[in-house]
Amino acid sequence: MTNPLDSILDVLRPLIEAESCNPPRRVTTDGPLIKAIRSALPDFTIDVRDIDEGCLIIDCVRGAPRVMFNVHVDTVPVADGWTHPPHALTLSDDRAFGLGTCDTKGAAGVLMALSQHTDKPMRMLFNTDEEAGKSRCIRTFLETVPDVDLAVVAEPTDTLVRLEHRGICSVHASFSGESAHASEGARRSAVHDAAKFITDALGTGIAAENRLNFGRIEGGVKPNMVAAHADLLFGFRTAPGYAHTDVLDVLAALDTSPEMTTRFVGPSFPSDADGISSQAVAAAARYAKKLDLPIGDPVAFWTEASLFAAAGVPTFVLGAGSITQAHNADEFVTYEQLTTLYHQYQDIVNSDGQ
């Protein structure tokens, strides 16, 4: 088969129609998404594990493969400004529109079409909570490390293998002041402390390098009252090799440092000092080079590949579409990228870890 596009679009269509926005996380074990997966993979053993709150681990296996593909099949909510129906596959001359076409149901469609064109052993691990900000599915799955030689994590990488990306950490900071009439002037204001903390933090050496961003601040009651409390939500993207604790330690040393609680931590890729993650990524890099897969530059967005690598599984990131198309109105993926990814995945399946 020289052009697999028709088959890819055929299996992609019901995946796009199966609403899997996260939130509200309404994915169920007998809903349209699972039915679409089962329909496309009739000769696979499919184990669906429900860990509640719409978090499904869907492990699809045929034979005894040494390579595992991981694709998250949840999406972000529908953004404002769509001119195409988000939950329908709309085809134009060179691209397919629909929520998840790029991030990352398009990759799932590629794998499913490929599985129908070969009888090679294959393993596809789908999960439904990547966009939720906790990654419970993959963390739970990796409590038992899979016996595979390679994990390929699908994300929008422009069909280039990615071997490095930033980590992510989101934090809640709480400031306490002393309520008083504003005319007294000398009382401690939680809002003022929060503002000074932001200024001091952005002046540190780690701010730009780790893309420190203050996204939300709220507190106080009214202009003539000294604020007794303020809350701040912020995040940062750790550079490869940095640990999130490196950044938090710098912030904690500031004079205005508040009480801080981490809300989500995703390690950078690779991430560690003991070499487990770095060794896993190095092994994956050798595999990609052996197959002559094109390797791209590090990316700024976070993926669950870092969790596989931290567990010691050789891992790289490879998928169709660009991150600039993800999370946007009229999300799309081009036919060229879908077919390119098909042949790349085909080469990986045919090699099966060898």
Side-chain angles (χ1 to χ4, degrees):
M1 176 177 292
T2 58
N3 187 354
L5 182 61
D6 288 342
S7 297
I8 295 170
L9 296 177
D10 283 345
V11 293
L12 180 56
R13 182 170 287 103
L15 292 177
I16 300 301
E17 292 172 353
E19 183 177 339
S20 55
C21 297
N22 202 344
R25 308 176 75 173
R26 297 191 185 120
V27 183
T28 62
T29 57
D30 59 353
L33 181 66
I34 300 301
K35 290 178 180 177
I37 292 172
R38 291 190 183 278
S39 176
L41 305 175
D43 58 343
F44 279 70
T45 299
I46 300 177
D47 177 62
V48 181
R49 184 177 176 188
D50 186 351
I51 57 174
D52 71 44
E53 296 183 334
C55 300
L56 304 184
I57 304 168
I58 309 152
D59 196 6
C60 309
V61 184
R62 181 177 65 195
R66 302 302 304 164
V67 176
M68 167 184 286
F69 294 89
N70 169 236
V71 187
H72 76 82
V73 286
D74 60 326
T75 71
V76 294
V78 178
D80 292 336
W82 277 81
T83 62
H84 301 285
H87 299 299
L89 192 67
T90 302
L91 306 181
S92 71
D93 290 342
D94 66 345
R95 64 194 61 187
F97 296 90
L99 185 59
T101 49
C102 168
D103 189 14
T104 55
K105 290 181 178 181
V110 167
L111 284 167
M112 291 175 179
L114 175 60
S115 75
Q116 296 172 359
H117 301 155
T118 180
D119 58 1
K120 293 277 189 179
M122 289 183 68
R123 185 174 186 181
M124 291 166 262
L125 178 70
F126 302 115
N127 54 294
T128 65
D129 75 335
E130 194 270 350
E131 300 290 5
K134 292 184 179 179
S135 294
R136 288 182 58 211
C137 288
I138 297 304
R139 294 181 195 274
T140 300
F141 176 80
L142 288 172
E143 289 174 359
T144 301
V145 179
D147 181 20
V148 295
D149 297 325
L150 177 71
V152 180
V153 176
E155 288 288 354
T157 69
D158 291 298
T159 64
L160 297 172
V161 168
R162 307 291 181 165
L163 297 164
E164 291 186 16
H165 67 60
R166 289 180 177 269
I168 185 173
C169 181
S170 62
V171 184
H172 170 255
S174 179
F175 298 82
S176 295
E178 186 178 358
S179 182
H181 195 287
S183 64
E184 297 187 27
R187 300 297 180 92
R188 182 172 181 177
S189 167
V191 169
H192 291 186
D193 282 355
K196 188 173 189 309
F197 173 72
I198 292 173
T199 301
D200 292 347
L202 291 176
T204 64
I206 56 91
E209 186 172 8
N210 292 280
R211 302 192 179 177
L212 180 62
N213 177 68
F214 294 92
R216 179 172 179 174
I217 183 171
E218 59 181 5
V221 178
K222 53 190 299 188
N224 62 351
M225 293 178 65
V226 176
H229 187 79
D231 287 298
L232 181 63
L233 297 181
F234 69 93
F236 50 87
R237 303 275 177 160
T238 46
Y242 270 83
H244 75 282
T245 51
D246 296 336
V247 179
L248 291 177
D249 287 346
V250 172
L251 300 180
L254 297 175
D255 292 339
T256 51
S257 180
E259 179 181 340
M260 293 183 286
T261 304
T262 55
R263 304 169 72 230
F264 177 80
V265 176
S268 58
F269 177 65
S271 61
D272 55 11
D274 62 9
I276 295 174
S277 177
S278 297
Q279 290 173 14
V281 174
R286 291 192 293 271
Y287 191 94
K289 291 175 182 176
K290 182 175 66 175
L291 291 181
D292 290 325
L293 295 171
I295 298 175
D297 294 332
V299 292
F301 57 87
W302 185 78
T303 83
E304 291 174 327
S306 63
L307 302 179
F308 283 92
V313 180
T315 307
F316 58 67
V317 191
L318 175 63
S322 167
I323 197 65
T324 61
Q325 299 155 15
H327 300 192
N328 288 332
D330 288 340
E331 180 182 346
F332 71 89
V333 65
T334 65
Y335 303 150
E336 180 182 10
Q337 290 227 340
L338 289 174
T339 53
T340 297
L341 187 67
Y342 178 96
H343 293 297
Q344 290 173 330
Y345 283 176
Q346 184 178 50
D347 288 345
I348 295 170
V349 168
N350 287 340
S351 69
D352 194 33
Q354 300 302 313

